[in-house]
Amino acid sequence: MGGLRAIGPRVSDRVGRYASVRLVPVAGGGGRVVAFLLSLFLVLPLVLVALPVDRASAAPVDLGPDGYFSTLNAGALPVVDKDNETPGIYADGWVNTRRIVFGKQGNTGTYGGASVSGGYKTLAIGEIASESGRSIYSVPGLVANYSASSTTAIAANEALLWADDTVTAGFPFDTYGSYIGGHSFDSATGAYQSNLAQVSDAVGAQNYSSFEQSLIRVAPVEGVCTAPYSIGCSAGSEPTATPFSPSSNQYRAFPLSIGDMNKYFDYTTTSVNAGNSACPSYSCANGASGSWLRSPRWSDPFWAFYVRDIGSVDYHNVFLSTMGLRPAVRLGLDGLVLSADSGDQGQSMSGDLRLTYVESGKQLDSWSASVSGAAGSRMLSLSGSSDLGSDMGWKIVDPVTSMVLGSGRTSAGGNMALPETLMPDATKDYDLYVWGQEDGSATVGLTNRATEPVKATITGWKVQVPPSYGIEVTGVTSGGLKAYKIGDYADTVFDHTGALGSVKLTTPAGLVSALLAAAGVAGGVGVDAGNPIGWVGSHWLGYPTSPLSDDVTSAFSLYAGSLQLFAQALAGDTGSLGPVAGSLPAGTFSSLSTVVLPVSGPGLYLVVDDSQASGGSLPIIVGTRVFNPALDGGDGRMVDFADAGVKGKPRLGRASLKTSVLDVSKRVLNDAGMDGFDLGSQVEYEIALQVPDLSSFASLPYSSYVFALSDVADAGLTLPAASSVRVLMDVPSPDTDVTGTPGLMVSVSGQTVSVDGLKALFAGDNGSSGTTNKAGVPVGSLIRIRYAAVLNTGASLSAPGGGGLHPNVNTATLTRSRVAGVSPGWDDAGPGVESKSATAHAYVFGLDLVKVDKDDVSRKLGGAGFEVTRDGQVLRFTRLSDGVYRLAVPGDTGVLSEVFSHTDGTLNILGVEARALSLGESVAPSGYFKVPAFMVEVLPVWNTDASEVTLASYRTHGTGLAFVSRDGRAVMVADPAHSLANLPYTGGVGILVLLVLATLFLVFAVRPYYQAHRAETTANILS
């Protein structure tokens, strides 16, 4: 499997249609054509055809287009692109570019209490690489050299914004002492920063809200002098102080470079575009006469460039104190959910814009939406609650054009009118995005904060609400749970019943490296570097294929398995997995509970218990169920695979907390496909024990301390010799064989394996100090006892359809010393001791078939013979009685390769594992045709932790003549009797009869064709 896939039929959204032929009369030859077609129809059977086509689900909810930036292409230069847009008006690029209100407005909390407008305009959209040596002078040579600098690089999905005015009073570029100046912007020497660099830092920390600061990229800036401040950069020092180098420090807010003026304004000294860079009304705020650029004049260490209030570029010595800072910022566009009118949050075509960003981890708890009002005045009614309060935001998106048609908010002054004129098609699904919102403010920062949006649709002026996603978690833990999304669903296909047929797992952007590394830690080889979670899903997630995938036990194994190792590697560094996608607080599972853990949407999740180190649950990987919009009825549209739980296939949307601290547990190691065993097979068991803390046993003599295991098997299991039982520990290294440790005794008697003296592995005798833990054997270390038992002919058998589930049970009991009362969860085993048990179940299955007449199923047919194969190999059986056969085991005599039904039509096949068997009828009852070969599967359904089978059922395929009985207890095999009504079901006589009939039909059909042709030929000759 290339992803998380199950084998299932693919169904079509289109209705299958029968093939049809129209008989059209043809001039001159109609009789001939009709007669010939009639002959074909009499010979060929009519075939009914339905074409299967994939049906996919909707894509996972995302942020959608934002409204302004989503209309700009990567690499766009808005001011340059819109310059001279109005004929005859020069330098109108700035005016024609939308103004964005961002950061603080006024003078509350700003750097130095200076008044700021809070307005910015977009100079560029990334990705744009830095260009070295960009000059404002058109004359090449020395003049160009002293004005050249690198431009600011813009990352992908990032915008370069520049304030529409200065935000500080004037100050010198830099001073050194009283009379010496340098134009170094900053330098690694002495961790030096110029005045301009220090003011940039201060503005970046004070003029924006903490939320806005998180949206701005902090990085070095290009095109500066980084020589020691006492030297500066000049023509003589350029070889040692690269003039176009990036800054030594990183900046959130910064002045533009002289190269930026040329790149992002198309400014040259001979151009008339200075108006694009001028202060409003050619007068800068806070008494400044212009704004510093960060680039020096390379020919003189005391001079630097600036932009005058009228927009022209000039240079002056660094002592000039009338220039302020007009900051630029690199604003990330990831997480931007809306760009809208700064007033009502609508989608006006002009005016200032205000931005709304998703704040990581914020979720919408509940919401409702409806449309009210008549045509021409329809309004969106919206309410809800979220981590950000009760105010909400929304937008309507055309899914075809990906354009934001309308938007608004519920807070005071917000727009709630739907864009009716842009939604003319009442049958169309318009996307509705809804989120919880906290509005920004002029004093804090103008940008709005939002929760992750939910996505619905408006169709025919009705809101279609999507489902909420969650994972049912069962168990006990003292810790809280957090979920991280590690896989997206794509290419969803449903089967004919509406259940999930298949879904592809894709790796979320940004997680490829983390997931790839974790798969490597877990031992993955050949992991798909482009889609590691798809590889993990197909190899380790418990979805068997044929042949079985690598590690299908991982999904439920407590101690081992590549999937658990993968989960633990991820849980060790959740910081690399992005925001928390859902959580439940500590105390939720203080007692055994089942609680829904809400998550952000469909996909695969890692669930982490924050108390694992103190005995909490191991990390769990689980996928959500999938929403099928074609079904009716709320939660009923959340579907799982039709065979979820079968053969260990994990159930979607369900998880069990699995403690990593167990005193005693037992499991079957070699039932990877979760399909049980054949009679005669070996069942490999592992019993796991935990080294106890002996700190409270200081007064108990070592000779009196008890730690012993007794493992009792059902009679259907033949235990091995004692020499075949192995004892392992995980110290000093994994799988250390400690079977031969002095004092450790293993014995087998009848149906019991006994392991005495286990204390020798971890306990020491300190004389007067009593019993203590050995050095080098940490408390909590695992002791594992492994052995293989054989399922003998007395094994219990399980049957589908209510026929009875009878596992072969093996119970391990640990008996240990106690100091005082019996420990919680343990049983009193006598004076000074307590016990605790764990069981493992091994299953063997049987099949019940009934041979019947196809046309009268009440008529049972005896004497039908079958050859039974599995994976192409013929199975052999021992006959127990008429119609009853057991799978042959070593030592059986009279072994048969064919089985026959009893005179009452029954056929019982016993002692097989629950895998697909192919039955080919070798002998049919007298007067009946053989049925085509067919497959029968027994499908066991396991409980949540895959320790017991709770239900078993049949599934057949290959022919409609083999089907499951109404009560589910048997497979009915219907033989067709020799009759015209049953032609053709197989080869032989049926085909012969058909050919005879077809020949007769052809004779009668060709005769009129021949007569028509003869008559037509004669007519042509006469004419």
Side-chain angles (χ1 to χ4, degrees), residues 721-744:
S723 59
S724 297
V725 179
R726 313 305 299 167
V727 182
L728 309 173
M729 288 194 75
D730 59 357
V731 289
S733 60
D735 293 336
T736 300
D737 193 325
V738 294
T739 310
T741 301
L744 181 65

Side-chain angles (χ1 to χ4, degrees), residues 62-117:
D62 54 26
L63 300 184
D66 68 89
Y68 171 69
F69 286 105
S70 57
T71 63
L72 302 176
N73 296 322
L77 308 176
V79 173
V80 172
D81 295 341
K82 289 185 172 293
D83 202 33
N84 298 325
E85 191 175 72
T86 306
I89 299 178
Y90 300 101
D92 61 344
W94 185 265
V95 173
N96 293 330
T97 302
R98 296 290 292 270
R99 182 176 185 266
I100 296 170
V101 290
F102 183 79
K104 298 179 182 179
Q105 200 168 45
N107 61 3
T108 303
T110 60
Y111 171 72
S115 177
V116 298
S117 70

Side-chain angles (χ1 to χ4, degrees), residues 426-669:
T427 65
K428 186 174 182 178
D429 294 336
Y430 294 95
D431 292 334
L432 169 65
Y433 292 80
V434 175
W435 56 86
Q437 179 170 318
E438 183 177 289
D439 297 341
S441 69
T443 56
V444 173
L446 291 160
T447 302
N448 304 322
R449 298 189 299 155
T451 66
E452 182 176 334
V454 296
K455 185 179 179 182
T457 59
I458 291 183
T459 310
W461 306 112
K462 292 183 179 181
V463 177
Q464 308 294 331
V465 180
S468 58
Y469 289 88
I471 298 167
E472 289 185 5
V473 182
T474 301
V476 179
T477 180
S478 61
L481 304 182
K482 291 181 179 178
Y484 300 86
K485 192 173 187 181
I486 60 172
D488 291 322
Y489 287 169
D491 300 339
T492 307
V493 177
F494 303 105
D495 69 15
H496 66 285
T497 68
L500 184 60
S502 68
V503 59
K504 182 180 179 181
L505 266 180
T506 62
T507 304
L511 298 189
V512 174
S513 296
L515 299 184
L516 192 60
V521 170
V525 177
V527 181
D528 185 343
N531 184 19
I533 200 63
W535 188 94
V536 167
S538 65
H539 288 76
W540 298 340
L541 198 52
Y543 288 81
T545 58
S546 182
L548 294 177
S549 54
D550 293 355
D551 188 12
V552 295
T553 62
S554 289
F556 51 83
S557 170
L558 294 180
Y559 298 108
S562 300
L563 187 71
Q564 181 54 225
L565 296 177
F566 175 71
Q568 291 185 26
L570 292 177
D573 183 21
T574 56
S576 64
L577 301 180
V580 174
S583 63
L584 290 171
T588 304
F589 297 95
S590 56
S591 59
L592 181 61
S593 307
T594 298
V595 180
V596 174
L597 169 62
V599 292
S600 58
L604 191 70
Y605 288 84
L606 171 74
V607 179
V608 178
D609 182 347
D610 60 21
S611 68
Q612 184 192 344
S614 57
S617 176
L618 293 166
I620 303 166
I621 291 178
V622 60
T624 65
R625 291 188 295 167
V626 177
F627 179 65
N628 186 347
L631 299 179
D632 295 325
D635 290 341
R637 296 188 288 177
M638 300 296 292
V639 299
D640 198 346
F641 293 103
D643 56 349
V646 174
K647 294 188 177 181
K649 189 172 188 176
R651 294 181 182 275
L652 297 179
R654 296 187 188 181
S656 290
L657 297 174
K658 301 169 183 178
T659 178
S660 55
V661 180
L662 295 177
D663 296 304
V664 57
S665 68
K666 185 168 186 178
R667 66 187 182 118
V668 174
L669 293 177

Side-chain angles (χ1 to χ4, degrees), residues 828-851:
D828 189 341
V833 290
E834 59 189 8
S835 63
K836 193 172 189 178
S837 298
T839 60
H841 299 86
Y843 290 87
V844 183
F845 295 93
L847 280 71
D848 293 329
L849 291 86
V850 180
K851 197 71 173 167

